Amino acid sequence: LNDLDKLGLFNAYTSGDHIWDKPQIKTILQNATISLLRPLNYRAGCAGEGYKIITSGAKRLLVINLLGRVFMKNNENTSNPLLAVDDVLKKYTLNKNEEDKEKIDGILIDIHAEATAEKKVLATYLDGRVSAVIGTHTHVPTRDEQILPHGTAYITDVGMVGPFNSSLGLDFKGLIQEYLTDISQKREVGDDPRVEIGAVLIKIKKDGLAQNIKHLRELVQK
């Protein structure tokens, strides 16, 4: 454990469209000791931060949390994610030649969105300016992990961490009744002792761009 900094491990948490489901989240987001982000492009005045610089030894990673708008509920509460991330990248850069900006060792984007097209367009727009664009939200992993032409790592959806035999982590019983009756049912986490873990392993070069990306999908027992 004493060598974690040497491994370049960073500790941060991103979120998505359910961030406001519990009222106590506002207190958590205002706690500076907890590296939890809410989507950057929520309307002004929301609690918490949409990006944060995380340190590991001498290395600094900028983590940015974005929320997609296509096919997403309550998208009137969010602004354009491309323009929102542009505002942040006016301050920070991977490029040491951009002397008017603060140099960062890596920039990671979590785009929590429904539409594949929106994620891919965002990644292409940011290609070469950030280390990685990682898609989340659909809970189903995609096998399109790749390095884009200008050096940014990308995957449309990394998958989930949750019960393997479930519907997006939820127990089937209530959901089946909901689909049969069109009446909302109580939603509970599935009880399968096998936990699916979806993740990506990204190696970042000295210039802040990605050398490779590998998708990981494992089943473990609780």
Side-chain angles (χ1 to χ4, degrees):
L1 291 176
N2 292 330
D3 292 329
L4 285 180
D5 284 348
K6 296 179 182 178
L7 294 174
L9 299 180
F10 298 85
N11 186 21
Y13 304 91
T14 55
S15 62
D17 54 323
H18 292 289
I19 185 65
W20 310 114
D21 285 0
K22 301 291 184 180
Q24 57 266 39
I25 193 62
K26 293 181 180 179
T27 300
I28 296 173
L29 286 170
Q30 290 168 344
N31 187 336
T33 65
I34 301 175
S35 297
L36 173 65
L37 299 177
R38 50 89 172 161
L40 173 71
N41 55 317
Y42 266 119
R43 66 185 184 278
C46 288
E49 299 174 303
Y51 70 91
K52 195 174 187 70
I53 296 175
I54 310 298
T55 61
S56 178
K59 300 295 184 181
R60 301 193 307 154
L61 176 71
L62 172 61
V63 181
I64 303 175
N65 195 176
L66 296 173
L67 190 63
R69 304 183 76 198
V70 180
F71 305 136
M72 298 290 282
K73 295 180 180 179
N74 300 320
N75 61 12
E76 68 275 5
N77 293 321
T78 55
S79 62
N80 187 315
L82 280 73
L83 297 180
V85 74
D86 265 346
D87 283 342
V88 177
L89 296 182
K90 290 176 182 177
K91 307 173 187 176
Y92 305 101
T93 183
L94 300 175
N95 189 345
K96 63 182 180 181
N97 295 320
E98 294 187 272
E99 297 180 354
D100 59 329
K101 300 180 182 181
E102 187 174 338
K103 176 72 169 59
I104 296 292
D105 298 295
I107 302 175
L108 175 69
I109 309 289
D110 173 3
I111 172 62
H112 195 82
E114 186 76 41
T116 298
E118 186 176 21
K119 297 178 186 181
K120 193 62 180 285
V121 167
L122 174 74
T124 301
Y125 178 65
L126 296 174
D127 186 18
R129 293 195 284 159
V130 302
S131 308
V133 176
I134 306 302
T136 59
H137 178 63
T138 66
H139 296 233
V140 179
T142 56
R143 290 310 308 266
D144 61 340
E145 63 271 25
Q146 61 191 274
I147 304 297
L148 298 176
H150 300 292
T152 294
Y154 172 76
I155 188 170
T156 299
D157 204 289
V158 72
M160 73 167 186
V161 176
F164 177 64
N165 186 32
S166 68
S167 173
L168 311 185
L170 299 176
D171 185 74
F172 285 112
K173 185 176 179 180
L175 293 173
I176 290 173
Q177 287 301 309
E178 185 170 310
Y179 277 87
L180 284 172
T181 63
D182 290 329
I183 298 174
S184 296
Q185 304 289 321
K186 183 179 180 180
R187 300 192 172 194
E188 297 182 337
V189 176
D191 60 0
D192 190 337
R194 298 168 299 170
V195 175
E196 174 184 339
I197 298 177
V200 286
L201 181 64
I202 302 168
K203 186 172 183 179
I204 297 175
K205 299 180 294 183
K206 290 184 178 180
D207 64 2
L209 296 174
Q211 180 172 318
N212 56 53
I213 177 172
K214 180 180 181 181
H215 184 260
L216 305 174
R217 191 185 188 197
E218 300 289 339
L219 287 182
V220 299
Q221 294 289 128
K222 288 183 181 178

